[in-house]
Amino acid sequence: MERLNLTLDDDTSGALARHARREGKPRATLARELIREAITRREVLERQRALARDYAAGRSDAREILADLEAAQLELLDDREGA
């Protein structure tokens, strides 16, 4: 496992501390989770943009792929809300 040294401004540090306290988790654990979530969101956005380009270009299976992606996102949201 690799270590990462971050310098947070006061607002970000305070927000992280509040959320960590609220969730009953150490700050580092919550920070790791937030970073993972942000990376996942960016990857999803990248896939959506690629699909949008493919759809605009007339790729025949783009509509089906987009429907599958939307279904997976809804499942992910349901999982997070249930946790």
Side-chain angles (χ1 to χ4, degrees):
M1 188 179 301
E2 185 176 332
R3 292 177 81 53
L4 177 65
N5 183 16
L6 294 174
T7 301
L8 303 176
D9 61 51
D10 291 338
D11 292 337
T12 304
S13 180
L16 180 61
R18 281 191 306 279
H19 285 279
R21 242 187 337 271
R22 201 173 318 149
E23 293 189 27
K25 297 178 180 179
R27 286 169 36 118
T29 299
L30 183 61
R32 249 188 323 273
E33 290 174 4
L34 292 171
I35 290 169
R36 283 187 199 124
E37 287 176 18
I39 290 169
T40 299
R41 281 191 200 117
R42 283 196 179 193
E43 289 171 346
V44 167
L45 283 173
E46 289 170 10
R47 285 193 301 272
Q48 287 175 332
R49 287 183 185 123
L51 283 171
R53 283 191 304 272
D54 290 345
Y55 184 77
R59 183 174 158 178
S60 62
D61 62 344
R63 190 178 306 247
E64 181 181 329
I65 294 170
L66 185 57
D68 290 344
L69 179 61
E70 288 173 345
Q73 285 178 325
L74 291 174
E75 283 181 31
L76 181 61
L77 288 174
D78 286 343
D79 289 346
R80 286 188 182 161
E81 289 175 0

